[in-house]
Amino acid sequence: MTMSTSASNLLRSSLISLAATSISLVAGFASSIIAARLLGPAGSGKVAYALWVATAAAALADMGLPQTLLRNAGSLSGNGDAWKILVRTALRSFLISVGMITAVILLFTAITYVHRDAWHAWFWLVTGLLFLSYAFHVFSTAVARGRNRFGQTARTTLLGGTMQVPLVFAGAWLLGPTGALIGYVARYLPQALKLRGYIDPASKYSRNALTPEMLRYGRYMWLSDLIEILVLSRIEFLFLGIFLSPTSIGYFAAGLGLAGLIEQAMLQISPALIVNFTEAHARNDQQALDAAYQRVIRIVALIMLPISLGGATIMPELLPLIFGDAFEPAIPAAATLLAFVSLAGMSVIPWGIIGASGRSAVLLRIQIASGISTIVLLTALVPLLGLEGAALARAMIVILTFTLLGLMAWKYVRVAVPIAALAKTMLAALLCASAAGLGVYSLDGLAALVVAIPAGAITYMLAIRFLRLVTPEDVQILMDTAAAKLPRASRPFADRLLNFLAPS
């Protein structure tokens, strides 16, 4: 396999994931807007808190098995029956763990019913259903992507996202926060129900299917995921609830909703990165690995940095327009979160290459350092600065995590972050944000956005051309990968645009 073919395959898998999950992300973002508009800051904060509890419980229950299957159910298992036995064996352990967490949730629901009322008990019961739907979705998706069935997961993602929005709207309107959660349950069901198709009834449980190396890898990845979900993702909700109020959780969730659109897009690319980086490791092709790593970082930075910095610039007009004037207190925190989310998204790339090399212990150490730092910073900054303190703490952790991941990727995998290319891309993104800022601070409301966004986009494209941030080889790979998936009428435009950005 040539270097160009490997890069093309990597990009193709990533684009399939992005195409599907872009719809899912839009559906999730639309759902958060619906919850904010219908339920207000306090009600939408309650929904956000339940989502965190459900995903945290799922991370606790999966024991690293989805990550293990993602890495080992693919090319390393071949085309025979080994992968089927591996999946069957992992599923048995997964079911036991999920059953235990479900029992705890049911017990808590019963206690809530006795000591509070049926309405609060229903809320936690639906949260339990969300946990089950999400947990089986994650397990099923890992198997599918490990077997390179990205197209299949794309279709189920599309179906789930299509169901989510109307159900969240109807549920929030009729039943409040509890009803809104029903839409999120439906979002994860299509892929969760696909799990039956990945289980071969003829395959038998084998304790030896999960090798000691797989178990060790899964254990480290599990602990890393637990720290990510319990501490690094939404622990701000806990501190804001303790030091401030449930309404502040709603404010912070609105800011995270905008930043999460970008970060989640990169998280959906990560399975394709792990699968393709693992294949490069298996071939012992260091040159292809380093070239793919640097190219992915450059292309991702080109996409994310202008959105991140430009989005932060237009936040004073964007946030009230989307979520309503009631969310104006969230503007400074939301701008800070969006300004630094590009680094959080790019962290997925060194994370993926370290994970693909099997060094899950390194990832665990980084997570522990980031987790401890998060708790210390939140303890110090939230009582002092409130909502803005929580956002500042997250920004500092994002910088720390990206730096540690980049250093460890160089130390253990010998791949380097393209510092010069990132610096030039940052300059182009700052020019983009400056042009957008002129529109925002000269006008008000929707008119400001109508002027600011095109001004920023045009400035950025000119900066890309004159700073030569896109190479002709990048253009060739993009066209080879994506041209066939574009509508025929749009291909000449895409070709002219790319040739403008990367003149020969």
Side-chain angles (χ1 to χ4, degrees), residues 299-452:
I299 292 175
V300 167
L302 277 170
I303 297 170
M304 295 190 69
L305 280 172
I307 298 174
S308 178
L309 297 179
T313 302
I314 64 175
M315 190 60 69
E317 302 295 341
L318 184 63
L319 191 73
L321 181 68
I322 294 175
F323 292 100
D325 293 337
F327 285 82
E328 282 189 2
I331 289 174
T336 302
L337 292 171
L338 195 57
F340 288 90
V341 76
S342 54
L343 283 181
M346 285 190 288
S347 295
V348 170
I349 304 165
W351 175 282
I353 206 164
I354 294 170
S357 71
R359 298 185 181 274
S360 52
V362 174
L363 297 178
L364 177 59
R365 290 198 294 271
I366 293 173
Q367 290 291 76
I368 291 173
S370 298
I372 293 173
S373 301
T374 296
I375 294 173
V376 171
L377 286 171
L378 287 172
T379 303
L381 294 178
V382 171
L384 184 64
L385 301 175
L387 198 64
E388 291 76 15
L392 182 60
R394 175 169 285 243
M396 295 169 69
I397 292 302
V398 162
I399 295 171
L400 172 66
T401 303
F402 181 75
T403 302
L404 291 176
L405 286 170
L407 291 174
M408 293 303 102
W410 168 250
K411 180 177 180 180
Y412 292 105
V413 195
R414 309 308 295 178
V415 290
V417 172
I419 300 295
L422 285 184
K424 290 198 294 183
T425 306
M426 176 67 76
L427 174 59
L430 288 172
L431 292 173
C432 165
S434 299
L438 290 176
V440 168
Y441 294 110
S442 301
L443 300 169
D444 295 316
L446 184 60
L449 297 177
V450 169
V451 172

Side-chain angles (χ1 to χ4, degrees), residues 42 46 69 87 97 155 160 199 217 228 243 260-261 271 342 352 374 416 443:
K46 190 174 181 181
L69 294 176
V87 172
S97 180
R155 289 190 292 273
I199 307 300
Y217 174 86
E228 175 68 32
F243 291 110
L261 279 175
S342 54
T374 296
L443 300 169

Side-chain angles (χ1 to χ4, degrees), residues 154-167:
R155 289 190 292 273
T156 56
T157 298
L158 173 61
L159 178 59
T162 303
M163 294 191 300
Q164 179 180 353
V165 174
L167 288 174

Side-chain angles (χ1 to χ4, degrees), residues 208-268:
N208 296 326
L210 286 167
T211 66
E213 191 277 334
M214 291 181 189
L215 292 172
R216 182 169 56 253
Y217 174 86
R219 183 167 58 252
Y220 287 141
M221 294 302 291
W222 178 47
L223 293 173
S224 297
D225 285 346
L226 280 179
I227 296 172
E228 175 68 32
I229 296 294
L230 293 175
V231 179
L232 297 178
S233 65
R234 298 291 185 272
I235 198 173
E236 293 94 345
F237 291 169
L238 181 62
F239 281 82
L240 291 171
I242 292 173
F243 291 110
L244 299 177
S245 66
T247 302
S248 66
I249 298 177
Y251 290 147
F252 199 80
L256 283 179
L258 289 166
L261 279 175
I262 302 173
E263 186 174 3
Q264 286 299 316
M266 277 308 303
L267 289 177
Q268 296 302 326

Side-chain angles (χ1 to χ4, degrees), residues 46 49 53 103-128 178:
K46 190 174 181 181
Y49 188 77
V53 170
V104 172
I105 293 175
L106 289 175
L107 178 61
F108 181 78
T109 301
I111 293 172
T112 303
Y113 177 77
V114 171
H115 290 278
R116 298 196 69 175
D117 53 46
W119 192 248
H120 286 88
W122 273 110
F123 177 81
W124 288 110
L125 183 62
V126 175
T127 301
T178 303

